[in-house]
Amino acid sequence: MKKPIIALIVLVLAAAGSLGAFLAVKNKNDKENQQKKEALAANVLFSFDSDSPTKLTFSKDGETYVCENKDGIWTLSTGEFPVDQTYCQLICTYTSNLEAVENYGEITDEKLAMYGLDSPDTVEITEPKGTHVIHIGDQSPTGNYYYVTVEGRNDVYAVEAMQGSVLKLDKLLIKNKELLPYTLYDLKEVTTYKDGKVLCDLTYDEESQTWSLPKEYDQLDLDQTQVTAEFNNIVRLEAEDMMDEKLDDLTKYGFDKPYGEAVVKGIDGTERKLLISVDEADPTYCYVLVDGEQVEKYYTQDMHFTQLLPYDYISQDYIAAQSYNVSSFKLKYNNIDISAELDLDNSKCTVNGKEVDLNTNENYVAFDNFFNSMSIFKFKGTDVNAKPELKDAEFTAEFTLKEGGTREMELVKGEDTNYYVFRDGKYTGAYIEESMLTGRNSLSEFFIKFRKLAGIE
């Protein structure tokens, strides 16, 4: 459905280009130019200010849609559906200097019937100086043109096929193709579902101007930038094509077994329900059922937000402490059992009573890698439904902060190679993988390197 809009943009630009070409040769030959002017003038169907129209009327065989411009916003007079602002604006721009490419002479009943102009599509453009009316008939046998007549003119004309096609009555062209009727600042809540269960629920607080997950995720930090980036994308989405308006059979597009579901609510109390199914013939695309009626086509990747988990929105690297803000720490894991005092201002630390010089680059890097490996927790996922008990912790790190207070982190073995993360005695709702503790670039490896360089037994 973007193709007709793109076609209109191309036509508007092409019209501007042809005018420039005409002006460029204006001084070549006065007589020749005069003839060209007269020929062009004869085929100029409309000429008015593209910003002036206040009403557009599209009709055919008793079906009529009237779009009215109030304060720069186009609305349907009946209020049946929201209007595509870009389409209406481009129609005004395009028709404001519309030219024919052929003239078939004076209008007769025979010609009207021959060219499909006895039952045409009609577009009326109303502006302060009057109403401009064009009737669009059939496409030529070669497919190159559409036949048209213009009220106030006595001849039958032809316009390029692309030009005629965008003027033919198509309700779905007039209809707003935006996925959501909201801007980023109008969103209140975005909830996605999988198999009838909530997958992710994000709510906006107007007072604090921040997004949040449900309270069971309170121990985790939501990445506000990530949320904003994702939602800034979905509020800009427009359909690639508009399909059925009143869908009765969910199986037609696979909505009986949806790929994703979402309910998006606005601050104004309105909401939009979305049901998504992937196009089996071409998985690049998917179908979206909007509010149980209108079927629209989008790129499948654009609907990826319906698959995201709370994990995808949280800060996945949790920093428990930073070395320059820590005066001391204790660590217990496996065969590691140390207590350390830090004096980084003087490039020193004391580990289990042994002073370690951090003044060399090699020693400092070894210490920094070791400290970060026990203080930065790379969450692998979230599981707020788990109820792990804080007992038999396999990892315990306690940091004494310079500004006062402590931060204690503990890891409790979970399923497979996962460890549940506790902070200050509370389960965070997240877990890490064992690879943080053992293996390449892990706590165990960095401790061995630091211990060897520092000479710690």
Side-chain angles (χ1 to χ4, degrees), residues 192-220:
T192 54
Y193 300 84
K194 193 73 171 181
D195 299 326
K197 297 181 180 179
V198 172
L199 191 66
C200 186
D201 184 21
L202 286 157
T203 305
Y204 184 73
D205 181 79
E206 295 178 65
E207 185 174 343
S208 64
Q209 297 185 347
T210 58
W211 289 89
S212 64
L213 289 162
K215 62 180 181 179
E216 53 264 37
Y217 294 90
D218 284 351
Q219 294 295 313
L220 301 172

Side-chain angles (χ1 to χ4, degrees), residues 21 59 93 101 177 207 218 245 262 293 302 324 356-357 370 405:
S59 60
T93 303
V101 293
K177 299 157 198 62
E207 185 174 343
D218 284 351
E245 279 195 284
E293 295 186 346
D302 287 338
Y324 61 82
V356 179
D357 183 8
F370 165 56

Side-chain angles (χ1 to χ4, degrees), residues 65-81:
Y65 299 97
V66 179
C67 300
E68 299 174 329
N69 190 322
K70 296 179 180 178
D71 299 324
I73 303 296
W74 291 95
T75 57
L76 198 67
S77 60
T78 62
E80 179 185 350
F81 54 80

Side-chain angles (χ1 to χ4, degrees), residues 14-295:
S18 64
L19 177 60
F22 172 72
L23 292 175
V25 300
K26 184 177 184 299
N27 296 319
K28 182 180 179 183
N29 184 289
D30 289 343
K31 184 177 179 180
E32 201 174 281
N33 282 341
Q34 184 61 33
Q35 291 174 343
K36 286 183 178 180
K37 284 181 181 179
E38 292 173 358
L40 286 171
N43 284 345
V44 173
L45 303 182
F46 297 135
S47 181
F48 56 86
D49 181 355
S50 62
D51 294 326
S52 64
T54 57
K55 183 167 68 173
L56 297 174
T57 303
F58 304 87
S59 60
K60 180 179 175 64
D61 297 335
E63 183 181 7
T64 301
Y65 299 97
V66 179
C67 300
E68 299 174 329
N69 190 322
K70 296 179 180 178
D71 299 324
I73 303 296
W74 291 95
T75 57
L76 198 67
S77 60
T78 62
E80 179 185 350
F81 54 80
V83 170
D84 189 318
Q85 302 296 310
T86 301
Y87 177 70
C88 289
Q89 290 160 7
L90 287 173
I91 285 292
C92 293
T93 303
Y94 162 51
T95 56
S96 67
N97 58 4
L98 182 61
E99 297 181 12
V101 293
E102 293 288 345
N103 185 320
Y104 294 98
E106 190 174 352
I107 296 172
T108 64
D109 291 341
E110 182 181 1
K111 288 181 180 179
L112 291 178
M114 181 187 302
Y115 297 134
L117 288 162
D118 51 350
S119 180
D121 296 67
T122 299
V123 179
E124 301 175 35
I125 306 101
T126 300
E127 46 113 4
K129 294 182 180 179
T131 298
H132 310 277
V133 182
I134 183 170
H135 304 289
I136 307 94
D138 293 339
Q139 192 172 17
S140 67
T142 60
N144 295 330
Y145 309 113
Y146 271 93
Y147 304 110
V148 303
T149 60
V150 174
E151 288 194 9
R153 298 290 191 96
N154 296 322
D155 294 340
V156 175
Y157 301 93
V159 296
E160 296 284 358
M162 186 184 292
Q163 296 173 325
S165 66
V166 297
L167 293 174
K168 300 283 282 185
L169 175 61
D170 187 339
K171 179 181 178 181
L172 296 183
L173 270 179
I174 304 170
K175 200 170 185 179
N176 191 332
K177 299 157 198 62
E178 295 176 336
L179 176 68
L180 301 172
Y182 311 115
T183 69
L184 179 64
Y185 308 101
D186 298 324
L187 295 178
K188 176 63 179 177
E189 185 175 6
V190 178
T191 309
T192 54
Y193 300 84
K194 193 73 171 181
D195 299 326
K197 297 181 180 179
V198 172
L199 191 66
C200 186
D201 184 21
L202 286 157
T203 305
Y204 184 73
D205 181 79
E206 295 178 65
E207 185 174 343
S208 64
Q209 297 185 347
T210 58
W211 289 89
S212 64
L213 289 162
K215 62 180 181 179
E216 53 264 37
Y217 294 90
D218 284 351
Q219 294 295 313
L220 301 172
D221 295 326
L222 190 65
D223 187 338
Q224 299 291 326
T225 301
Q226 176 63 26
V227 177
T228 300
E230 192 66 45
F231 292 171
N232 193 44
N233 177 56
I234 66 174
V235 297
R236 296 170 183 267
L237 293 177
E238 292 188 6
E240 295 297 315
D241 205 352
M242 303 285 274
M243 321 297 283
D244 299 42
E245 279 195 284
K246 303 289 184 181
L247 186 67
D248 297 322
D249 182 8
L250 291 179
T251 64
K252 180 178 179 180
Y253 292 97
F255 292 124
D256 55 323
K257 298 177 180 178
Y259 163 77
E261 299 178 60
V263 175
V264 182
K265 297 180 180 180
I267 291 174
D268 61 1
T270 62
E271 67 177 36
R272 176 152 288 185
K273 297 180 180 179
L274 308 173
L275 208 59
I276 298 94
S277 67
V278 175
D279 184 351
E280 293 183 359
D282 185 359
T284 303
Y285 295 97
C286 66
Y287 299 109
V288 178
L289 181 61
V290 180
D291 291 334
E293 295 186 346
Q294 177 69 58
V295 181

